[in-house]
Amino acid sequence: IMKDIPFNEGEHLMFLDPDNHAFHVDNPAFYQEVQRSSWLGRVGESKAGQLTWSDGDRRYLVVYNVGEQQNWKLIKPIPYEEIYAAATTTRNLGYGIGLLFLLVSIILVTFLSNAITKPLKKLSRQMSLFSSGSFDVEAQVKGRDEIAFLTRHFNEMVKNTNDLINERYKMKLVEKNAILKALEAEINPHFLYNALQAISTKALKSSEFEIADMVDALALTLRYCISGKDIVYAREELKHIERYLVLQKARFGSRLHVEIRWDQSLMELQIPKLSIQTLVENSIKHAVERVSGTVTIIIQAELTPTQTIISVMDNGPGIPPGRLKQVLGSFQSSWEERENDNIGLTNLNTRLKLLYGETAGLEIRTNKTGTEMRMVIEGGGGSRVQGVDY
């Protein structure tokens, strides 16, 4: 039993009878010192306990047990330095474990913070490049967290900005080309009007009244076309149509018959300049020029509760399906893809949408008995129509 009791270096073990005679001691010399101490007499006062004993400079914690029946005593003195050494070891172990956890925590925090801040730094760098004028930057998207969400939206913003820049650039090119073409085709209006006035005067002197009327109509038509206004009153557009028809009737004669059904209350309606002429030209091209008989063109306007509809109808042979598909397709094409044959209708449809919104535009209805082209503008009120023939 004594051999099974563990004790470390510096500790002692004694087994004494009730009279404190040694039955077993690990160190007889130490037992002699214990016999000279006063605390040994107090060991039997309780069945188990502990006390402190100083042997010179060395202090012991004495742990003892007393038998229940025979009062034999098992005593184990333990040096305090051994206890302190164990506590110190435990403390140092605790410090080591704490330091290890601290290092692991620092590594984990650094790793997690880098995982968060690194994408943010990349996104911030891309944003800085974007703000400095580099519009082709794009951040790499990783994961599905909030940072990835911000990065995807940033990339989408960059893409939209590039699209807007490209669109603006194309518009500038188109504008530049238009200005160049306008400069190339520029004619001194005063010279042109004076020349036409001289031709008209000479025709009048020669009693060529029809030629004089045609020249006057041409001069007024040109003046109207090159005027700076883009939006005109309906009465101005209709007056222009009258002069335009003078020139066309000189070409087609009785084969061309035009009816204008326009209520006086709609004369102050504001519409794009040359819009009705574009529709009339289309009817002449697809109707009058393709038949040898008389073609009637009807120009009218009507108001609905929500829309203003201006239509030009003819009783010609209609537009072939293939050609109609091509015309309608040109309404959806870009500037670069537009064809010269459809440029008038395409430009008018674009102007209507720019001026009145996406719900405005051109509608075409055609069959073998004729064609109706409708210019739809948002806004309406009532409907009264009266007829005027030319």
Side-chain angles (χ1 to χ4, degrees), residues 319-369:
I319 302 175
R323 179 60 179 170
L324 177 62
K325 182 178 180 180
Q326 184 182 13
V327 173
L328 296 177
S330 67
F331 290 174
Q332 309 299 327
S333 62
S334 61
W335 283 94
E336 296 81 359
E337 298 172 346
R338 294 182 178 179
E339 300 180 5
N340 293 331
D341 292 343
N342 307 325
I343 195 67
L345 296 178
T346 304
N347 286 350
L348 177 58
N349 181 71
T350 303
R351 290 172 65 197
L352 291 174
K353 292 185 179 298
L354 290 175
L355 292 172
Y356 304 104
E358 287 297 322
T359 55
L362 287 181
E363 297 178 356
I364 303 177
R365 302 174 181 177
T366 183
N367 52 40
K368 295 182 178 180
T369 61

Short mmCIF file of all heavy atoms in Angstrom, two decimals, residues 319-369:
data_model
loop_
_atom_site.label_atom_id
_atom_site.label_comp_id
_atom_site.label_asym_id
_atom_site.label_seq_id
_atom_site.Cartn_x
_atom_site.Cartn_y
_atom_site.Cartn_z
N ILE A 319 -48.29 48.86 -100.28
CA ILE A 319 -46.85 48.58 -100.18
C ILE A 319 -46.66 47.07 -100.14
O ILE A 319 -47.31 46.37 -99.36
CB ILE A 319 -46.27 49.22 -98.90
CG1 ILE A 319 -46.51 50.73 -98.89
CG2 ILE A 319 -44.78 48.94 -98.78
CD1 ILE A 319 -46.07 51.43 -97.62
N PRO A 320 -45.78 46.50 -100.98
CA PRO A 320 -45.54 45.05 -100.96
C PRO A 320 -45.10 44.59 -99.56
O PRO A 320 -44.43 45.34 -98.84
CB PRO A 320 -44.41 44.86 -101.98
CG PRO A 320 -44.49 46.05 -102.86
CD PRO A 320 -44.97 47.18 -102.01
N PRO A 321 -45.46 43.36 -99.16
CA PRO A 321 -45.12 42.87 -97.81
C PRO A 321 -43.62 42.92 -97.52
O PRO A 321 -43.21 43.29 -96.41
CB PRO A 321 -45.65 41.43 -97.81
CG PRO A 321 -46.74 41.44 -98.83
CD PRO A 321 -46.31 42.41 -99.89
N GLY A 322 -42.82 42.54 -98.50
CA GLY A 322 -41.38 42.57 -98.27
C GLY A 322 -40.87 43.97 -98.01
O GLY A 322 -40.03 44.20 -97.13
N ARG A 323 -41.37 44.91 -98.81
CA ARG A 323 -40.97 46.30 -98.63
C ARG A 323 -41.47 46.86 -97.31
O ARG A 323 -40.75 47.59 -96.62
CB ARG A 323 -41.52 47.14 -99.79
CG ARG A 323 -41.19 48.62 -99.74
CD ARG A 323 -39.70 48.84 -99.74
NE ARG A 323 -39.37 50.25 -99.71
CZ ARG A 323 -38.17 50.73 -99.51
NH1 ARG A 323 -37.15 49.90 -99.32
NH2 ARG A 323 -37.95 52.03 -99.49
N LEU A 324 -42.71 46.50 -96.90
CA LEU A 324 -43.26 46.96 -95.62
C LEU A 324 -42.42 46.43 -94.47
O LEU A 324 -42.13 47.18 -93.52
CB LEU A 324 -44.71 46.48 -95.49
CG LEU A 324 -45.40 46.83 -94.16
CD1 LEU A 324 -45.50 48.33 -93.99
CD2 LEU A 324 -46.79 46.20 -94.10
N LYS A 325 -42.03 45.18 -94.54
CA LYS A 325 -41.19 44.60 -93.48
C LYS A 325 -39.86 45.33 -93.39
O LYS A 325 -39.34 45.59 -92.29
CB LYS A 325 -40.97 43.11 -93.75
CG LYS A 325 -40.15 42.41 -92.69
CD LYS A 325 -40.02 40.93 -93.01
CE LYS A 325 -39.19 40.23 -91.93
NZ LYS A 325 -39.04 38.77 -92.24
N GLN A 326 -39.31 45.70 -94.55
CA GLN A 326 -38.04 46.43 -94.57
C GLN A 326 -38.20 47.81 -93.95
O GLN A 326 -37.34 48.26 -93.19
CB GLN A 326 -37.55 46.54 -96.01
CG GLN A 326 -36.18 47.19 -96.15
CD GLN A 326 -35.75 47.32 -97.60
OE1 GLN A 326 -36.55 47.14 -98.51
NE2 GLN A 326 -34.48 47.59 -97.80
N VAL A 327 -39.32 48.50 -94.26
CA VAL A 327 -39.56 49.84 -93.72
C VAL A 327 -39.73 49.78 -92.21
O VAL A 327 -39.12 50.56 -91.45
CB VAL A 327 -40.80 50.47 -94.38
CG1 VAL A 327 -41.15 51.78 -93.68
CG2 VAL A 327 -40.54 50.72 -95.87
N LEU A 328 -40.56 48.83 -91.73
CA LEU A 328 -40.78 48.71 -90.28
C LEU A 328 -39.50 48.31 -89.56
O LEU A 328 -39.24 48.75 -88.43
CB LEU A 328 -41.89 47.69 -90.00
CG LEU A 328 -43.28 48.08 -90.53
CD1 LEU A 328 -44.28 46.95 -90.25
CD2 LEU A 328 -43.77 49.37 -89.89
N GLY A 329 -38.69 47.47 -90.20
CA GLY A 329 -37.42 47.08 -89.58
C GLY A 329 -36.46 48.24 -89.45
O GLY A 329 -35.67 48.30 -88.51
N SER A 330 -36.52 49.18 -90.40
CA SER A 330 -35.62 50.33 -90.32
C SER A 330 -35.95 51.23 -89.13
O SER A 330 -35.10 51.98 -88.67
CB SER A 330 -35.69 51.14 -91.62
OG SER A 330 -36.98 51.75 -91.77
N PHE A 331 -37.22 51.14 -88.62
CA PHE A 331 -37.58 51.94 -87.45
C PHE A 331 -36.78 51.51 -86.23
O PHE A 331 -36.57 52.31 -85.31
CB PHE A 331 -39.08 51.80 -87.15
CG PHE A 331 -39.96 52.48 -88.17
CD1 PHE A 331 -41.34 52.34 -88.11
CD2 PHE A 331 -39.43 53.25 -89.18
CE1 PHE A 331 -42.16 52.96 -89.03
CE2 PHE A 331 -40.24 53.88 -90.12
CZ PHE A 331 -41.61 53.72 -90.04
N GLN A 332 -36.34 50.24 -86.19
CA GLN A 332 -35.61 49.71 -85.03
C GLN A 332 -34.10 49.73 -85.23
O GLN A 332 -33.36 49.34 -84.32
CB GLN A 332 -36.05 48.25 -84.76
CG GLN A 332 -37.56 48.07 -84.67
CD GLN A 332 -38.17 48.87 -83.55
OE1 GLN A 332 -37.55 49.06 -82.51
NE2 GLN A 332 -39.41 49.34 -83.76
N SER A 333 -33.62 50.14 -86.39
CA SER A 333 -32.19 50.08 -86.68
C SER A 333 -31.47 51.28 -86.10
O SER A 333 -32.07 52.29 -85.74
CB SER A 333 -31.96 50.02 -88.20
OG SER A 333 -32.47 51.20 -88.82
N SER A 334 -30.14 51.15 -85.98
CA SER A 334 -29.31 52.25 -85.49
C SER A 334 -29.04 53.23 -86.62
O SER A 334 -29.37 52.99 -87.78
CB SER A 334 -27.99 51.70 -84.93
OG SER A 334 -27.28 51.02 -85.95
N TRP A 335 -28.40 54.32 -86.26
CA TRP A 335 -28.11 55.36 -87.26
C TRP A 335 -27.25 54.82 -88.39
O TRP A 335 -27.50 55.12 -89.57
CB TRP A 335 -27.40 56.54 -86.60
CG TRP A 335 -28.31 57.43 -85.82
CD1 TRP A 335 -28.60 57.38 -84.49
CD2 TRP A 335 -29.09 58.51 -86.34
NE1 TRP A 335 -29.49 58.34 -84.15
CE2 TRP A 335 -29.81 59.08 -85.26
CE3 TRP A 335 -29.24 59.06 -87.61
CZ2 TRP A 335 -30.66 60.16 -85.42
CZ3 TRP A 335 -30.09 60.15 -87.77
CH2 TRP A 335 -30.80 60.68 -86.69
N GLU A 336 -26.26 54.01 -88.04
CA GLU A 336 -25.34 53.53 -89.07
C GLU A 336 -26.01 52.56 -90.03
O GLU A 336 -25.58 52.42 -91.18
CB GLU A 336 -24.14 52.85 -88.40
CG GLU A 336 -23.28 53.78 -87.57
CD GLU A 336 -23.87 54.01 -86.18
OE1 GLU A 336 -24.96 53.44 -85.92
OE2 GLU A 336 -23.26 54.76 -85.39
N GLU A 337 -27.11 51.89 -89.60
CA GLU A 337 -27.74 50.86 -90.42
C GLU A 337 -28.90 51.39 -91.25
O GLU A 337 -29.52 50.64 -91.98
CB GLU A 337 -28.24 49.73 -89.51
CG GLU A 337 -27.10 49.03 -88.74
CD GLU A 337 -27.64 48.07 -87.71
OE1 GLU A 337 -28.87 48.14 -87.43
OE2 GLU A 337 -26.86 47.25 -87.20
N ARG A 338 -29.24 52.64 -91.10
CA ARG A 338 -30.39 53.17 -91.81
C ARG A 338 -30.11 53.30 -93.30
O ARG A 338 -29.03 53.73 -93.71
CB ARG A 338 -30.79 54.52 -91.22
CG ARG A 338 -31.28 54.39 -89.79
CD ARG A 338 -31.73 55.71 -89.20
NE ARG A 338 -32.23 55.51 -87.84
CZ ARG A 338 -32.68 56.47 -87.05
NH1 ARG A 338 -32.70 57.71 -87.50
NH2 ARG A 338 -33.11 56.20 -85.85
N GLU A 339 -31.13 52.95 -94.09
CA GLU A 339 -30.98 52.99 -95.54
C GLU A 339 -31.57 54.28 -96.09
O GLU A 339 -32.52 54.85 -95.56
CB GLU A 339 -31.70 51.78 -96.15
CG GLU A 339 -31.14 50.44 -95.66
CD GLU A 339 -31.89 49.28 -96.29
OE1 GLU A 339 -32.74 49.54 -97.15
OE2 GLU A 339 -31.61 48.13 -95.92
N ASN A 340 -31.00 54.71 -97.20
CA ASN A 340 -31.44 55.97 -97.79
C ASN A 340 -32.89 55.91 -98.26
O ASN A 340 -33.61 56.90 -98.22
CB ASN A 340 -30.52 56.34 -98.97
CG ASN A 340 -29.11 56.68 -98.48
OD1 ASN A 340 -28.95 57.15 -97.36
ND2 ASN A 340 -28.12 56.42 -99.32
N ASP A 341 -33.34 54.72 -98.70
CA ASP A 341 -34.70 54.61 -99.22
C ASP A 341 -35.73 54.86 -98.12
O ASP A 341 -36.84 55.31 -98.40
CB ASP A 341 -34.93 53.22 -99.83
CG ASP A 341 -34.10 53.03 -101.10
OD1 ASP A 341 -33.63 54.06 -101.64
OD2 ASP A 341 -33.90 51.89 -101.51
N ASN A 342 -35.39 54.56 -96.87
CA ASN A 342 -36.34 54.69 -95.78
C ASN A 342 -35.99 55.83 -94.84
O ASN A 342 -36.60 55.95 -93.77
CB ASN A 342 -36.39 53.39 -94.96
CG ASN A 342 -36.63 52.17 -95.83
OD1 ASN A 342 -37.36 52.24 -96.81
ND2 ASN A 342 -36.02 51.06 -95.46
N ILE A 343 -35.01 56.63 -95.18
CA ILE A 343 -34.48 57.60 -94.24
C ILE A 343 -35.53 58.61 -93.81
O ILE A 343 -35.56 59.05 -92.65
CB ILE A 343 -33.24 58.31 -94.84
CG1 ILE A 343 -32.47 59.05 -93.74
CG2 ILE A 343 -33.63 59.21 -95.98
CD1 ILE A 343 -31.83 58.14 -92.73
N GLY A 344 -36.44 59.00 -94.74
CA GLY A 344 -37.46 60.00 -94.39
C GLY A 344 -38.41 59.50 -93.33
O GLY A 344 -38.62 60.16 -92.30
N LEU A 345 -38.99 58.31 -93.54
CA LEU A 345 -39.91 57.75 -92.56
C LEU A 345 -39.20 57.41 -91.26
O LEU A 345 -39.73 57.62 -90.17
CB LEU A 345 -40.60 56.51 -93.13
CG LEU A 345 -41.50 56.73 -94.34
CD1 LEU A 345 -42.07 55.40 -94.84
CD2 LEU A 345 -42.64 57.69 -94.00
N THR A 346 -37.99 56.86 -91.37
CA THR A 346 -37.24 56.49 -90.17
C THR A 346 -36.91 57.72 -89.32
O THR A 346 -37.06 57.70 -88.09
CB THR A 346 -35.94 55.77 -90.56
OG1 THR A 346 -36.24 54.64 -91.38
CG2 THR A 346 -35.18 55.32 -89.33
N ASN A 347 -36.48 58.79 -89.95
CA ASN A 347 -36.17 60.00 -89.21
C ASN A 347 -37.41 60.60 -88.57
O ASN A 347 -37.37 61.08 -87.44
CB ASN A 347 -35.51 61.03 -90.12
CG ASN A 347 -34.08 60.66 -90.45
OD1 ASN A 347 -33.53 59.74 -89.87
ND2 ASN A 347 -33.48 61.36 -91.40
N LEU A 348 -38.54 60.56 -89.30
CA LEU A 348 -39.78 61.10 -88.74
C LEU A 348 -40.21 60.29 -87.52
O LEU A 348 -40.61 60.85 -86.50
CB LEU A 348 -40.88 61.10 -89.80
CG LEU A 348 -42.26 61.57 -89.31
CD1 LEU A 348 -42.18 62.97 -88.74
CD2 LEU A 348 -43.28 61.52 -90.45
N ASN A 349 -40.11 58.97 -87.61
CA ASN A 349 -40.48 58.12 -86.46
C ASN A 349 -39.57 58.42 -85.27
O ASN A 349 -40.02 58.51 -84.12
CB ASN A 349 -40.36 56.65 -86.86
CG ASN A 349 -40.73 55.70 -85.74
OD1 ASN A 349 -41.90 55.58 -85.37
ND2 ASN A 349 -39.76 55.03 -85.19
N THR A 350 -38.27 58.63 -85.53
CA THR A 350 -37.34 58.95 -84.45
C THR A 350 -37.64 60.31 -83.85
O THR A 350 -37.60 60.49 -82.62
CB THR A 350 -35.89 58.91 -84.97
OG1 THR A 350 -35.62 57.61 -85.53
CG2 THR A 350 -34.91 59.20 -83.87
N ARG A 351 -37.93 61.28 -84.68
CA ARG A 351 -38.26 62.63 -84.18
C ARG A 351 -39.50 62.61 -83.30
O ARG A 351 -39.55 63.27 -82.26
CB ARG A 351 -38.46 63.58 -85.36
CG ARG A 351 -37.19 63.91 -86.13
CD ARG A 351 -37.52 64.69 -87.39
NE ARG A 351 -38.08 66.00 -87.09
CZ ARG A 351 -38.76 66.75 -87.98
NH1 ARG A 351 -38.96 66.29 -89.20
NH2 ARG A 351 -39.23 67.91 -87.63
N LEU A 352 -40.51 61.84 -83.70
CA LEU A 352 -41.73 61.76 -82.90
C LEU A 352 -41.44 61.19 -81.52
O LEU A 352 -41.96 61.68 -80.50
CB LEU A 352 -42.78 60.90 -83.62
CG LEU A 352 -43.37 61.50 -84.90
CD1 LEU A 352 -44.27 60.49 -85.59
CD2 LEU A 352 -44.16 62.77 -84.59
N LYS A 353 -40.62 60.14 -81.47
CA LYS A 353 -40.31 59.53 -80.17
C LYS A 353 -39.46 60.46 -79.31
O LYS A 353 -39.62 60.51 -78.08
CB LYS A 353 -39.61 58.19 -80.38
CG LYS A 353 -40.50 57.11 -80.98
CD LYS A 353 -39.80 55.78 -81.06
CE LYS A 353 -40.72 54.72 -81.65
NZ LYS A 353 -41.92 54.51 -80.80
N LEU A 354 -38.54 61.19 -79.91
CA LEU A 354 -37.72 62.12 -79.14
C LEU A 354 -38.55 63.29 -78.61
O LEU A 354 -38.32 63.76 -77.50
CB LEU A 354 -36.58 62.65 -80.01
CG LEU A 354 -35.47 61.65 -80.37
CD1 LEU A 354 -34.47 62.27 -81.32
CD2 LEU A 354 -34.75 61.18 -79.11
N LEU A 355 -39.52 63.75 -79.39
CA LEU A 355 -40.31 64.91 -79.01
C LEU A 355 -41.46 64.56 -78.07
O LEU A 355 -41.77 65.32 -77.16
CB LEU A 355 -40.87 65.60 -80.26
CG LEU A 355 -39.84 66.29 -81.17
CD1 LEU A 355 -40.50 66.75 -82.46
CD2 LEU A 355 -39.21 67.48 -80.45
N TYR A 356 -42.09 63.40 -78.29
CA TYR A 356 -43.33 63.09 -77.56
C TYR A 356 -43.24 61.83 -76.71
O TYR A 356 -44.22 61.46 -76.07
CB TYR A 356 -44.49 62.95 -78.54
CG TYR A 356 -44.69 64.16 -79.41
CD1 TYR A 356 -44.30 64.17 -80.75
CD2 TYR A 356 -45.24 65.33 -78.88
CE1 TYR A 356 -44.47 65.30 -81.55
CE2 TYR A 356 -45.42 66.46 -79.67
CZ TYR A 356 -45.03 66.43 -81.01
OH TYR A 356 -45.20 67.55 -81.79
N GLY A 357 -42.11 61.11 -76.71
CA GLY A 357 -41.99 59.91 -75.90
C GLY A 357 -42.09 58.64 -76.72
O GLY A 357 -42.44 58.66 -77.91
N GLU A 358 -41.80 57.51 -76.07
CA GLU A 358 -41.73 56.23 -76.76
C GLU A 358 -43.09 55.76 -77.27
O GLU A 358 -43.16 54.92 -78.17
CB GLU A 358 -41.14 55.15 -75.84
CG GLU A 358 -39.64 55.31 -75.60
CD GLU A 358 -38.86 55.15 -76.90
OE1 GLU A 358 -39.24 54.30 -77.72
OE2 GLU A 358 -37.88 55.88 -77.09
N THR A 359 -44.19 56.27 -76.69
CA THR A 359 -45.52 55.84 -77.16
C THR A 359 -45.90 56.50 -78.48
O THR A 359 -46.84 56.06 -79.14
CB THR A 359 -46.58 56.16 -76.10
OG1 THR A 359 -46.52 57.56 -75.78
CG2 THR A 359 -46.34 55.34 -74.84
N ALA A 360 -45.20 57.56 -78.85
CA ALA A 360 -45.47 58.22 -80.13
C ALA A 360 -44.71 57.50 -81.24
O ALA A 360 -43.79 56.73 -81.00
CB ALA A 360 -45.07 59.68 -80.07
N GLY A 361 -45.12 57.77 -82.50
CA GLY A 361 -44.42 57.15 -83.62
C GLY A 361 -45.31 57.00 -84.83
O GLY A 361 -46.43 57.54 -84.89
N LEU A 362 -44.80 56.27 -85.81
CA LEU A 362 -45.53 56.03 -87.06
C LEU A 362 -46.17 54.65 -87.05
O LEU A 362 -45.58 53.69 -86.55
CB LEU A 362 -44.58 56.14 -88.26
CG LEU A 362 -44.11 57.54 -88.66
CD1 LEU A 362 -43.21 57.45 -89.88
CD2 LEU A 362 -45.29 58.45 -88.96
N GLU A 363 -47.36 54.58 -87.63
CA GLU A 363 -48.05 53.31 -87.86
C GLU A 363 -48.39 53.20 -89.34
O GLU A 363 -48.80 54.20 -89.96
CB GLU A 363 -49.32 53.21 -87.02
CG GLU A 363 -49.07 53.23 -85.52
CD GLU A 363 -50.37 53.18 -84.73
OE1 GLU A 363 -51.45 53.21 -85.37
OE2 GLU A 363 -50.31 53.13 -83.48
N ILE A 364 -48.21 52.03 -89.92
CA ILE A 364 -48.47 51.82 -91.35
C ILE A 364 -49.48 50.70 -91.51
O ILE A 364 -49.29 49.60 -90.98
CB ILE A 364 -47.17 51.48 -92.11
CG1 ILE A 364 -46.12 52.58 -91.92
CG2 ILE A 364 -47.47 51.28 -93.59
CD1 ILE A 364 -44.79 52.28 -92.58
N ARG A 365 -50.56 50.99 -92.25
CA ARG A 365 -51.57 49.98 -92.58
C ARG A 365 -51.71 49.96 -94.11
O ARG A 365 -51.98 50.99 -94.71
CB ARG A 365 -52.91 50.31 -91.93
CG ARG A 365 -52.84 50.43 -90.41
CD ARG A 365 -54.16 50.90 -89.82
NE ARG A 365 -54.09 51.03 -88.37
CZ ARG A 365 -55.11 51.48 -87.62
NH1 ARG A 365 -56.25 51.86 -88.22
NH2 ARG A 365 -54.96 51.56 -86.31
N THR A 366 -51.52 48.82 -94.68
CA THR A 366 -51.53 48.74 -96.14
C THR A 366 -52.14 47.43 -96.61
O THR A 366 -52.06 46.41 -95.93
CB THR A 366 -50.09 48.89 -96.70
OG1 THR A 366 -50.15 48.89 -98.13
CG2 THR A 366 -49.19 47.77 -96.22
N ASN A 367 -52.79 47.49 -97.77
CA ASN A 367 -53.28 46.30 -98.46
C ASN A 367 -53.37 46.65 -99.95
O ASN A 367 -52.87 47.69 -100.39
CB ASN A 367 -54.63 45.84 -97.90
CG ASN A 367 -55.66 46.96 -97.87
OD1 ASN A 367 -55.75 47.78 -98.80
ND2 ASN A 367 -56.43 47.03 -96.79
N LYS A 368 -54.02 45.80 -100.71
CA LYS A 368 -54.08 46.00 -102.16
C LYS A 368 -54.97 47.17 -102.56
O LYS A 368 -54.94 47.60 -103.72
CB LYS A 368 -54.57 44.73 -102.84
CG LYS A 368 -53.59 43.56 -102.69
CD LYS A 368 -54.09 42.33 -103.41
CE LYS A 368 -53.10 41.18 -103.29
NZ LYS A 368 -53.58 39.95 -103.99
N THR A 369 -55.77 47.69 -101.62
CA THR A 369 -56.67 48.80 -101.94
C THR A 369 -56.14 50.15 -101.47
O THR A 369 -56.80 51.16 -101.67
CB THR A 369 -58.04 48.56 -101.31
OG1 THR A 369 -57.90 48.50 -99.88
CG2 THR A 369 -58.66 47.26 -101.81
#
